[in-house]
Amino acid sequence: MTDGPTGAPDGPPITRDALIASLDLAAAATERMAAKVRRNPGGYIRWLPRQDKFLRDRSRRKLIRAGNQHSGKTTVALHELICRCLGRHPHLTVRPPPIRCWVVCARVDQSIPIQQKFVDLLPDGVLVNLDRFDPGAGFRNESREAVFKNGSRVKFMTTGQDPIAFAGATLDLVMFDEPPPQRVFHEANKRLMRRGGVMLLSLTPINAGPMDWLQDLTERSPPVIQDIWEPLRPESFIPVGAREPLRLDDGTVLDAAFIKQLETEGDPYENPVTIHGEWNPRATGQVFERFSPMEHVVGQFQQKSGEDWRVCIGVDHGELVGKECAILAFVRTDPVIGDQVFVAAEYIGGTDQTVDADAEGILALLARWGLDWSCVDSAWGDKTTTDNVFRAKGNSDLIAAIRRVLDRKKRGTSRMVTKRNEFQQVKRGEGRSQGSVNLGYKYLNQRILQRGQFAVHDSCRTLIGALQEFDGHPKHPGKDVIDALRYALNDSIFEGRRIVSVPRLGVT
């Protein structure tokens, strides 16, 4: 009899010593393999097709664009950066070291995991100051810089720094992880010009405001930035040279069913960006799919003692004169649950309505809640619209008409109309095009999805119908009133634009 495993029924018995020797051999082989991986971690990564295409691309400006958390876009960009720092690249001829690089993230707390990933991808023994790396704080030297033994340097920066912090440097490589502000991008790009440097971008086009300017750079002919992108498909998860897709740690196969699960669990409007890496969200049906009259339509406004609400007006002048829409909304930021939006009233102009009649209608929205124009904290309107006989309506026309109406009523326009509540024009400035529209839709969807953050008074029948039916099409009949709602919330959508502290409303 043997003590321990007996082997196969028809084979010789396995002794304990033989089993221990076998396990020792396996452990030694595993350790040898682990040592090889430590010497060159990137050489043992099974690159996905999109990653492989990025590594092989010879462009001086290149972007890998994908959804969140499943395509390894940051990993492959950091691997290329390390290859260039070492002066050896698997596919490209690169500048001999030393080189000077920046890795730019949005914030310090986002930079620390990127620094950890950078360290994990490093071959053994290539840094002078690896001892200065703290997994919880990143590189702890004053400049937050990794220094290679060959003289190459990688500094970790944030887009929250003033662009002047980027001035004066001469760089060989800049890597942006996630979308940069336009001004920071151009400032960093200047730093690469003298040495013919390289820019790497890895991003999901979400949570960074309109990306129209960056999309434009990728779509020029020839492109300023080479865009490496494809929608997520089952074959996207099959490494180059392999036949089987990757699996999650729990054994889940990354296949068509996995992609379908991601789409089912995600926000239908944002799925094109967060899953497939497209430039903009888009609707495949109702934009505000989770809006429910049962949940979001109310008959009264509940204001608690001590709450401060901003009074906001948004106006869409429409495509035809007389197609004026206005929304009155009350907005506050709760320190616990975030922004709260109450849509109090709507104004829908009649056919061939004069601008003075529109002014009367908008002032009536306020009067319905015991307010006048002096209570308005922000007013935003669309660009001027002109019909086919060259009659125009715009923000300056409307505020002038409001002044006239107030003068007729002897209300004192100098007291009521101030710089605070004169109409400002939306769609003015950097990136104010389709990206800003999508950002507005996203903001509204976020409020709708969170209990207690969005409500509409039951008198707003046109808006309620539009929220249920709007499919995102530019000619949809509900678009104008949806646009007016976006404009009313413009300060909150583009946080920090012109939000002020105001007295609380005297309404119940």
Side-chain angles (χ1 to χ4, degrees):
M1 294 285 293
T2 59
D3 185 10
T6 59
D10 298 328
I14 299 175
T15 67
R16 177 181 293 172
D17 289 345
L19 177 60
I20 292 173
S22 176
L23 291 174
D24 285 343
L25 288 173
T30 300
E31 180 54 36
R32 286 195 300 272
M33 188 64 202
K36 288 182 179 180
V37 172
R38 286 195 298 270
R39 286 195 294 271
N40 182 22
Y44 291 89
I45 294 176
R46 298 192 299 165
W47 297 112
L48 298 174
R50 183 174 359 210
Q51 295 172 309
D52 185 69
K53 185 176 180 181
F54 181 83
L55 284 175
R56 293 176 184 275
D57 190 274
R58 298 177 180 275
S59 306
R60 287 183 50 237
R61 307 283 187 278
K62 58 183 179 179
L63 156 67
I64 181 166
R65 178 164 55 94
N68 285 329
Q69 300 299 322
H70 50 62
S71 296
K73 56 188 184 296
T74 300
T75 298
V76 71
L78 285 172
H79 175 65
E80 172 146 343
L81 176 144
I82 291 169
C83 289
R84 290 179 178 274
C85 285
L86 295 172
R88 53 180 190 262
H89 193 289
H91 307 297
L92 308 177
T93 301
V94 298
R95 178 187 294 275
I99 65 172
R100 188 178 177 195
C101 311
W102 284 354
V103 176
V104 187
C105 302
R107 301 190 308 269
V108 171
D109 63 323
Q110 293 175 331
S111 174
I112 291 171
I114 301 302
Q115 294 178 54
Q116 179 68 68
K117 188 170 292 189
F118 167 80
V119 168
D120 291 343
L121 289 168
L122 287 171
D124 265 352
V126 299
L127 286 192
V128 171
N129 65 335
L130 185 59
D131 62 315
R132 300 298 295 164
F133 177 75
D134 181 335
F139 284 93
R140 290 179 289 122
N141 50 344
E142 185 177 343
S143 59
R144 288 194 176 275
E145 197 167 44
V147 182
F148 285 72
K149 290 180 179 178
N150 64 13
S152 293
R153 307 174 82 91
V154 178
K155 184 173 184 178
F156 293 88
M157 307 278 285
T158 67
T159 57
Q161 294 172 282
D162 193 290
I164 198 170
F166 292 76
T170 299
L171 302 173
D172 298 286
L173 187 148
V174 174
M175 173 185 159
F176 284 106
D177 185 68
E178 298 306 333
Q182 186 175 4
R183 187 179 173 200
V184 171
F185 170 88
H186 287 300
E187 189 60 47
N189 193 44
K190 294 176 187 176
R191 306 302 115 211
L192 299 168
M193 294 177 63
R194 183 179 300 176
R195 292 175 59 84
V198 171
M199 180 176 288
L200 309 176
L201 300 97
S202 61
L203 59 86
T204 300
I206 202 77
N207 296 331
M211 287 283 97
D212 311 75
W213 62 272
L214 186 57
Q215 181 179 359
D216 175 67
L217 294 178
T218 67
E219 294 178 351
R220 294 182 186 178
S221 183
V224 176
I225 301 172
Q226 187 63 42
D227 186 16
I228 309 281
W229 174 83
E230 62 181 22
L232 194 63
R233 305 184 182 98
E235 55 267 31
S236 302
F237 291 121
I238 301 175
V240 174
R243 294 184 178 181
E244 299 295 324
L246 299 177
R247 294 172 179 263
L248 299 179
D249 290 344
D250 64 2
T252 301
V253 179
L254 304 187
D255 55 10
F258 174 73
I259 297 173
K260 182 65 176 177
Q261 181 182 353
L262 289 177
E263 293 174 334
T264 300
E265 294 175 353
D267 180 344
Y269 182 66
E270 289 193 353
N271 281 347
V273 176
T274 57
I275 295 175
H276 296 282
E278 294 185 19
W279 282 111
N280 292 301
R282 56 182 168 80
T284 55
Q286 181 186 345
V287 171
F288 308 107
E289 190 176 69
R290 308 294 174 84
F291 176 80
S292 166
M294 292 290 293
E295 180 179 351
H296 298 108
V297 177
V298 299
Q300 59 183 349
F301 173 62
Q302 297 289 346
Q303 180 193 354
K304 297 178 181 177
S305 176
E307 291 181 344
D308 288 342
W309 291 77
R310 301 194 308 278
V311 180
C312 307
I313 295 280
V315 176
D316 184 85
H317 301 297
E319 297 177 355
L320 299 173
V321 172
K323 201 178 179 185
E324 197 94 349
C325 298
I327 290 292
L328 168 64
F330 305 150
V331 184
R332 72 181 291 266
T333 300
D334 185 277
V336 177
I337 68 172
D339 285 0
Q340 292 179 283
V341 174
F342 177 74
V343 184
E346 67 180 14
Y347 166 75
I348 310 298
T351 303
D352 209 24
Q353 197 91 315
T354 67
V355 69
D356 287 80
D358 292 331
E360 292 269 13
I362 291 169
L363 289 170
L365 299 185
L366 293 162
R368 195 179 310 163
W369 289 90
L371 306 171
D372 58 30
W373 193 260
S374 67
C375 300
V376 174
D377 298 298
S378 71
W380 291 88
D382 198 5
K383 61 185 179 181
T384 300
T385 186
T386 306
D387 70 1
N388 56 7
V389 293
F390 304 105
R391 294 175 299 181
K393 279 188 179 181
N395 296 320
S396 58
D397 304 299
L398 185 57
I399 199 67
I402 288 172
R403 288 177 181 274
R404 288 194 296 272
V405 173
L406 293 173
D407 281 340
R408 284 201 302 271
K409 296 180 178 181
K410 298 183 172 25
R411 301 299 301 277
T413 58
S414 61
R415 179 177 62 85
M416 291 191 178
V417 181
T418 66
K419 287 185 178 180
R420 183 184 69 175
N421 56 32
E422 281 190 331
F423 279 101
Q424 295 192 75
Q425 182 177 314
V426 295
K427 300 180 183 175
R428 174 180 290 169
E430 283 186 359
R432 299 290 176 194
S433 53
Q434 183 58 36
S436 63
V437 174
N438 291 323
L439 199 63
Y441 294 163
K442 176 185 175 182
Y443 177 86
L444 284 168
N445 266 315
Q446 289 174 333
R447 303 285 77 72
I448 289 168
L449 285 167
Q450 300 297 321
R451 182 175 296 276
Q453 291 192 3
F454 186 80
V456 182
H457 193 266
D458 57 15
S459 63
C460 303
R461 305 314 304 170
T462 301
L463 178 63
I464 292 166
L467 288 168
Q468 294 177 86
E469 300 168 3
F470 182 56
D471 62 4
H473 194 282
K475 299 296 183 183
H476 191 282
K479 180 178 183 299
D480 293 322
V481 70
I482 295 291
D483 284 347
L485 174 58
R486 285 196 299 110
Y487 303 157
L489 304 177
N490 195 71
D491 284 329
S492 298
I493 293 168
F494 300 101
E495 186 177 356
R497 282 290 298 273
R498 198 166 67 94
I499 295 177
V500 294
S501 177
V502 299
R504 53 183 163 273
L505 294 171
V507 296
T508 59

